[in-house]
Each structure stands twice: as C-alpha cells, then as structure tokens.
Amino acid sequence: MTFSFTGNDNLQINLPAPLPMGILDSLMVDYEGAPNSTGFGSFETTIHAGVPLMWTLSEPYGAKVWWPCKQDLNDKIDSIDVLVTTPMPYRAASNGVLVEEAVSGNTVRYHWRHRYPIPAYLIAFAVTDYATFSDYVYLPDGDSIEILNYVFHPDLIQGQNELSSTVEIMELYNDLFGIYPFADEKYGHAQFGWGGGMEHQTMSFMGGFSYGLQAHELAHQWFGDKVTCGSWEDIWLNEGFATYLTGLTSLYLGTPQEWESWKTNNLNNIISQPDGSVWVDDTTSVGRIFSGRLSYKKGAYVLHMLRWQLGDDAFYQGIQNYLNDPALAYGYARTPDLQQHLEASSGQDLEVFFDQWFYGEGYPSYHAIWEPTSNGIRIQLDQTTSDPSIAFFQMPVPVRVNASGLDTILRLDHQFSGQVFEIELPDQPLSLEVDPEKWLISGNNTVEMAAVGTEVWSEMGLHVVLAPNPVSSHLQVYARSSDQAFSLKIYDLVGRLMYE
C-alpha cells in the first residue's frame, strides 16, 4: 500500500481499489522508534529505586505519540489486544485480562486482552519489576471481582495495607450506580512515576495509594470509562463526577467531619475567584481542560446542587438511567444527555439550571433580612452575583431557622432578589442561617435581623428590641451590640427580676 503523512500527524493510506460499503477489511501499520513525551507523560522511561520503569498516559492528546490510532471522542475502539515483550525480570500491566505469559529465552511476552469499547486515550501499559497481589469484591450472587495490584517492590507492604480500601469503595459505588462496568474482566492498579493517578480502563495507574485517589480513579470506571465525555468541553462528565463520588465516600463511609471538610475545602476553592464556567471554552489548553477549580471542584459541586434540587431518589435514579442508556453506555455522552435523564427522573425543567451553572460563570451571594411575626417568620432574601454573565441565580435556597423549640430547615424557592417569604412556625425564631449544610455554590452570605417590634433601648451601638408587639404568650427579647459586651436584666412592672 502507498501512504503519506498529512497535517496534524495524520497517516493517509491509499487503498488499491474502492472498498464496498459494509465490507470489512483490515490494515496493519508497522512502526518503530522511541516516542516523545507530551502532555502529562504520554510515553515515559525513567528509574525508580534504581530499576527501569516505562509507562504511558495519553489523556488528552497523547495516544498518537506512541501508537497509530484514531484519536477522537466519537468512535470507540471495540476491543484491543496489547502484547508487550520485555526482559525476564519485568512485568507488563495493561487493560483487560492477562491471557498469556510466553517465555522465550530471557524475555517474556505479556498478552493482555480487553473486550469492551474503549477510547484511544484510555489504552495504556506500564513495565517494571512489579510485585503483584489481589483483593476481591464479593457480589450478592456469589460471584466476585478481582482487584489486581501491580506495585513497586519497596512499596509492597504499604500497597497491601492501603489498597484494600478499594473493596469498600467499590461496594459503595456498586450500590449507588450499578455493578462495576467491567466486572467479568478485572479492576486493578499499576504504580507508575507520575504524582497523581489516571483511570486507564480496568487498571488505574497510581502515583500513590491515598484513599481519595483510589476513590477518584475507581469512580472514573463508571464516569469517564463506561460513559466517556463526547468532547473535552464536557470533561466535567468525567472529572466532576469522579470528584463528587470521592466526596460521597466521606458522606457514606467516613465521618461527619470528613464530609464537612470535603464540602468546605471544595467550596472555598471554587469561590476563590469570581468567574469561570464548568463548560471548557478552550479545548486547545490542557490546563483549562483539567482546571482543578472548574472541571473538578465546581463540576462536583454542580452535581451536589442537583442532588439538593432534585432529591436523592430522582438524582440517583437519573444517574443510573444515564449510565445504562443504550445510546450512551460504553459510548460517549454530552452534557445535554445527562440533563435529559435528570429531567426525566425528576419531572423538573433544568434548562435554566444548566444555562446558569454549566455555561454561566460565577456564583451568588445571599443577604437575608428576617423578623419574627406573630405566628412565624418573615424573610427577605437578596442576591448579588460575582460575575456579570449571570444577573441572578435561580435556585431553591436552604435556610435554617433556630427557634426556642425545634430548629427547622426551610426551602425557599428564590425567583428574584428581594423576594419576601412569610412562613408559619410552631415556635418563635431566634436566629437564621443561610445554607448551613453547604448545598450551594455561594459565598460571603450575610444575615441581618430587621428592627422589628418595640425598641426599648438604643445607645452607643447597643439595641434592645421586644417582639412581637403586642405579645400574646411568648415575648422575645432581641439584644444586639456591634462592638461591646453587655449584660441584660429584665424586671416586671412590680420590680421582680424575670431574666438575667
């Protein structure tokens, strides 16, 4: 066959005759050389502990650096065989199932076979003198999933201790999102020379063994591998989900403090800058595609807000339907595909939500002004935004009313800034908090009690207010001071001390 190279590393092959539509044929491309390293390390040869190490990491544009492929996000490869020949002391890790170790003299050829659709960037291999061990996840039907681990010899004990956590994480994901998508092959980890991790299909490459990294890369097997973003514009469908699922391990498997810390740290990073969309507006920039603040953390928090808005039942059902959609499963998806499934499971129109939170930039700040009424509370909710791309974020806003009896979380359907809500309560309100459980991307929220009732004392920054006026059975005394400590005593009309 004759061939030529065209622009952008394209190989053009000239067929000897037209190939009839529907007739299958095949091409073999023979190539050799030492590939260059691009991106995060598309092809690397290095040393660890004095031992040679070779590994690949092709996301997003590095697959074509080391093998002839169709590098796109619209047509997955239906199956692969990866054969690696290496000197005897070394082992090769790759996708799928190891079907053969063929020894020839002082070399051995490792044959890995994977029979699921896979995008070019998720094909990978790594070679060094690995130590290996396995854990297993047991399924309700009595079957099991092998978790095969390839780790550096000096890190074997650490790996055995820490990677056992993958079992409970996979059990959680199995419950929430359906059984691991490649259960009849394997899941695994291969240690490599990069600082983070990479979700290569059926075998994540790991720079370390932290719990969060295990949770993140395993989550990608559902979100990124089974269903892959159909454009780098939609990378949040990979990274936002993996980041949020890591958070869910804190919610369901960790402590309340860990869950609170996850929300606080991610939220603070998101609002550290006033702009930026989850939608990637420049796919030529690898840094923009993999923005930790936007694609990972803000993408994760958008999912968190969807869970708040839809409720757990509709949220998880919509996600499962998205993963199992025959048009998407083991294929590609775009953000409207996710939106469609969440709308179907919840019955809600999410067009405004995705326009504001996926394409739009910035976040809201809330200012709540509240006052007690004779039978409840009156709340005025104002909003400003951090970026001019969105004038107003339309969201249900949670507020907590702390009362003399039972604290209550209220869900305010916030449609415009300055909206007033009148709500009946069984007890007199004492204070108010906006979004106390951190469901929303918002920042710099403030709360103010309105000057209601009868002001009985006001001097040098100290204000004492009695409410309601007139009073029936319960009198509320509101004392505020902007800059000084104070004590308060209340006497009745005959001089008896009633409160101190």
Side-chain angles (χ1 to χ4, degrees):
M1 307 277 259
T2 61
F3 63 89
S4 61
F5 282 106
T6 62
N8 196 31
D9 300 327
N10 285 331
L11 173 63
Q12 177 175 304
I13 302 172
N14 306 306
L15 299 179
L19 189 66
M21 183 176 292
I23 301 300
L24 296 179
D25 208 326
S26 62
L27 297 168
M28 179 181 291
V29 180
D30 186 35
Y31 68 105
E32 62 180 15
N36 296 321
S37 176
T38 64
F40 297 113
S42 51
F43 193 100
E44 293 286 346
T45 54
T46 184
I47 300 291
H48 80 89
V51 180
L53 169 65
M54 177 181 289
W55 54 271
T56 67
L57 194 166
S58 299
E59 189 182 28
Y61 302 124
K64 67 180 183 179
V65 169
W66 62 275
W67 68 282
C69 63
K70 188 160 64 172
Q71 184 169 274
D72 57 30
L73 290 176
N74 55 49
D75 186 12
K76 288 190 177 182
I77 304 150
D78 68 353
S79 61
I80 61 169
D81 290 84
V82 178
L83 292 85
V84 179
T85 302
T86 181
M88 185 69 76
Y90 308 111
R91 299 190 65 85
S94 190
N95 312 89
V97 177
L98 182 62
V99 296
E100 184 183 27
E101 298 181 36
V103 176
S104 177
N106 64 347
T107 66
V108 57
R109 187 183 72 178
Y110 294 92
H111 181 180
W112 290 88
R113 175 178 295 159
H114 185 49
R115 291 297 180 260
Y116 286 87
I118 183 171
Y121 79 88
L122 288 176
I123 297 174
F125 75 94
V127 182
T128 192
D129 64 336
Y130 283 118
T132 67
F133 65 94
S134 293
D135 293 308
Y136 292 88
V137 173
Y138 294 97
L139 303 176
D141 62 3
D143 205 351
S144 63
I145 301 169
E146 182 182 14
I147 301 174
L148 175 63
N149 302 294
Y150 279 37
V151 302
F152 301 156
H153 276 278
D155 300 328
L156 176 59
I157 295 177
Q158 177 188 359
Q160 289 172 325
N161 290 334
E162 295 183 2
L163 288 173
S164 62
S165 299
T166 302
V167 172
E168 69 170 8
I169 300 171
M170 183 179 285
E171 289 172 342
L172 173 65
Y173 294 168
N174 285 346
D175 289 340
L176 293 178
F177 305 108
I179 299 299
Y180 170 67
F182 314 102
D184 61 342
E185 292 195 352
K186 72 154 187 329
Y187 182 59
H189 306 98
Q191 198 170 1
F192 74 146
W194 196 56
M198 179 60 207
E199 66 275 11
H200 296 132
Q201 199 155 298
T202 73
M203 184 167 250
S204 293
F205 284 15
M206 309 285 282
F209 311 128
S210 71
Y211 192 95
L213 188 61
Q214 292 177 61
H216 185 99
E217 303 309 336
L218 176 57
H220 273 308
Q221 302 299 311
W222 285 262
F223 301 97
D225 294 10
K226 180 181 182 180
V227 177
T228 307
C229 64
S231 166
W232 298 116
E233 295 177 352
D234 296 286
I235 187 61
W236 83 291
L237 296 176
N238 296 13
E239 299 300 350
F241 267 106
T243 304
Y244 191 50
L245 266 63
T246 303
L248 292 181
T249 63
S250 297
L251 172 62
Y252 292 113
L253 302 175
T255 65
Q257 293 75 21
E258 289 170 337
W259 175 229
E260 184 68 18
S261 177
W262 183 91
K263 291 185 291 185
T264 299
N265 292 338
N266 281 271
L267 187 57
N268 288 344
N269 184 254
I270 294 166
I271 66 174
S272 65
Q273 299 179 40
D275 56 1
S277 65
V278 176
W279 171 65
V280 176
D281 57 355
D282 180 8
T283 59
T284 66
S285 168
V286 174
R288 176 61 186 90
I289 294 172
F290 297 102
S291 167
R293 184 175 74 91
L294 300 174
S295 300
Y296 289 67
K297 295 181 176 66
K298 190 174 182 181
Y301 234 92
V302 165
L303 293 169
H304 187 55
M305 290 194 297
L306 282 165
R307 186 169 148 244
W308 154 251
Q309 180 160 330
L310 306 184
D312 275 8
D313 289 346
F315 175 78
Y316 285 117
Q317 187 61 59
I319 298 303
Q320 290 182 27
N321 295 344
Y322 163 80
L323 288 169
N324 295 324
D325 184 339
L328 307 177
Y330 302 100
Y332 295 101
R334 301 294 300 269
T335 295
D337 297 313
L338 175 65
Q339 177 184 335
Q340 177 186 351
H341 280 289
L342 293 175
E343 287 179 338
S345 66
S346 66
Q348 296 187 27
D349 185 344
L350 297 174
E351 192 69 24
V352 172
F353 181 95
F354 279 90
D355 282 345
Q356 294 185 338
W357 288 108
F358 175 63
Y359 294 105
E361 301 187 38
Y363 59 88
S365 295
Y366 295 102
H367 178 63
I369 305 171
W370 70 276
E371 60 183 284
T373 62
S374 59
N375 62 346
I377 190 171
R378 180 182 185 272
I379 304 169
Q380 176 180 315
L381 193 58
D382 301 328
Q383 182 191 126
T384 58
T385 61
S386 65
D387 185 89
S389 66
I390 302 295
F392 177 83
F393 286 93
Q394 183 178 314
M395 279 290 295
V397 178
V399 298
R400 176 188 286 145
V401 178
N402 303 304
S404 55
L406 182 66
D407 294 348
T408 304
I409 294 288
L410 303 176
R411 184 185 180 101
L412 305 182
D413 186 16
H414 199 211
Q415 298 293 324
F416 57 89
S417 183
Q419 188 173 0
V420 175
F421 303 87
E422 299 262 2
I423 300 166
E424 293 185 6
L425 296 173
D427 298 292
Q428 286 288 329
L430 300 176
S431 62
L432 187 81
E433 300 172 76
V434 175
D435 192 22
E437 297 176 340
K438 297 183 176 66
W439 279 108
L440 307 181
I441 298 175
S442 65
N444 309 309
N445 299 325
T446 56
V447 175
E448 175 186 356
M449 189 189 74
V452 298
T454 302
E455 189 167 69
V456 297
W457 179 269
S458 180
E459 183 176 318
M460 298 178 63
L462 177 62
H463 305 274
V464 179
V465 176
L466 302 182
N469 186 14
V471 65
S472 57
S473 59
H474 292 85
L475 174 67
Q476 298 293 322
V477 180
Y478 299 93
R480 296 181 296 159
S481 176
S482 59
D483 58 2
Q484 59 183 316
F486 63 89
S487 61
L488 184 67
K489 296 181 180 179
I490 300 175
Y491 297 86
D492 66 8
L493 287 176
V494 298
R496 291 178 299 179
L497 180 65
M498 306 298 294
Y499 174 86
E500 181 175 4

